[in-house]
Amino acid sequence: MRRLIWIGLLLCMAGCTAQPKPDASLFSRIGGLPMLSRLSNQTLDIVSKDPRTARSFEGVKMVTLKQSLTNFLCVKTGGQCEYEGETMKNAHADAHITMAEFEIMVEVLRERMDINGVGTKEKNELLKILAPMKRDVVSD
């Protein structure tokens, strides 16, 4: 009888440990606010100075934009942040962002994620979240 109890306990323990744990949020896996802030700052620093995209950032308060982008990414990745900015459509309505400008921004973000050691799975998840926004950002 004692042997059956032990076998039952072992089977139960094995079953409990074999249960898959829920995945941590993308926010956690990507590195939280420190990483999202780094990615936002680096990406915006580069594209705001690139002659191919700089016109879109003329007159923009970069400190505010960087914080807004960080909060936006935080919310989109499952972090507990508040994004109080405009919708992507409203924020870019008068900017006349071209497909080429959008693609440069995405490429810079990809490079920044690679340079900062963001994993392939996390990078792809973030890009998948952001991809549908292209139709709200690109107007030309």
Side-chain angles (χ1 to χ4, degrees), residues 15 57 63 77 89 115-116 134:
F57 300 94
V63 172
T77 58
K89 189 172 190 112
I115 288 168
N116 285 286
K134 177 171 70 172

Side-chain angles (χ1 to χ4, degrees), residues 10-70:
L10 288 174
L11 288 173
C12 180
M13 288 173 48
C16 292
T17 59
Q19 297 291 328
K21 294 182 180 179
D23 284 341
S25 69
L26 176 56
F27 174 80
S28 297
R29 290 182 287 119
I30 210 164
L33 272 177
M35 180 59 75
L36 294 176
S37 180
R38 187 176 313 131
L39 294 172
S40 297
N41 291 343
Q42 291 176 0
T43 299
L44 289 172
D45 283 344
I46 292 168
V47 296
S48 67
K49 294 177 178 108
D50 186 317
R52 301 170 298 169
T53 52
R55 67 148 194 100
S56 299
F57 300 94
E58 291 173 2
V60 173
K61 294 180 182 175
M62 292 306 291
V63 172
T64 303
L65 180 59
K66 288 175 182 179
Q67 185 62 55
S68 183
L69 179 57
T70 298

Side-chain angles (χ1 to χ4, degrees), residues 88 102 125-138:
M88 289 298 106
F102 181 83
E125 282 182 51
L126 180 57
L127 292 171
K128 185 177 178 181
I129 290 167
L130 299 177
M133 295 172 204
K134 177 171 70 172
R135 68 179 167 264
D136 292 334
V137 173
V138 175

Side-chain angles (χ1 to χ4, degrees), residues 52-124:
R52 301 170 298 169
T53 52
R55 67 148 194 100
S56 299
F57 300 94
E58 291 173 2
V60 173
K61 294 180 182 175
M62 292 306 291
V63 172
T64 303
L65 180 59
K66 288 175 182 179
Q67 185 62 55
S68 183
L69 179 57
T70 298
N71 289 343
F72 179 79
L73 293 175
C74 175
V75 169
K76 291 296 182 182
T77 58
Q80 299 299 312
C81 301
E82 285 188 38
Y83 172 70
E84 297 176 350
E86 292 282 342
T87 65
M88 289 298 106
K89 189 172 190 112
N90 288 344
H92 297 89
D94 297 326
H96 305 290
I97 305 295
T98 66
M99 182 65 77
E101 290 170 315
F102 181 83
E103 290 173 356
I104 291 166
M105 177 89 167
V106 171
E107 186 56 35
V108 171
L109 177 59
R110 276 191 182 119
E111 289 171 357
R112 294 290 99 198
M113 286 191 282
D114 288 340
I115 288 168
N116 285 286
V118 173
T120 300
K121 179 181 178 187
E122 290 74 20
K123 179 172 64 171
N124 290 338

